[in-house]
Amino acid sequence: MYTINDIEKITSFKTWDDKKKIDELLRIDAKIYAHQGSDSTKAEIEEGRRNSRKIYRAIKEIDNDLGSSFLELMDK
């Protein structure tokens, strides 16, 4: 099970294809939001957004169009 701390490791895997890397990064992103709730503090929510941005930048390194789309949607 990978976490936000493994982004660089995931992007550098030679045996994984791009789809598998992106799928794993999005799984980590989904887990971030799954653990937030109405009782989450503003700081926790902001930390989740910062971590998502890190993930989307890593995705952009793998697939520029997809990563750019995620980052644009996040900024709206």
Side-chain angles (χ1 to χ4, degrees), residues 4-69:
I4 191 72
N5 298 323
D6 299 316
I7 291 174
E8 191 173 315
K9 182 190 305 184
I10 292 167
T11 58
S12 67
F13 283 150
K14 301 287 186 217
T15 57
W16 285 17
D17 63 10
D18 290 348
K19 182 185 180 318
K20 186 170 182 177
K21 292 176 187 178
I22 291 170
D23 286 349
E24 185 60 29
L25 291 168
L26 290 174
R27 187 199 60 75
I28 294 168
D29 191 49
K31 187 175 178 183
I32 290 169
Y33 290 103
H35 287 97
Q36 288 183 353
S38 59
D39 60 338
S40 295
T41 65
K42 188 173 184 176
E44 291 169 333
I45 292 169
E46 187 56 38
E47 181 181 0
R49 287 185 51 81
R50 280 193 307 271
N51 287 335
S52 284
R53 186 167 286 282
K54 289 178 192 175
I55 290 169
Y56 300 157
R57 279 194 219 114
I59 290 172
K60 186 175 178 181
E61 290 177 18
I62 299 166
D63 182 331
N64 187 53
D65 292 339
L66 184 62
S68 294
S69 295

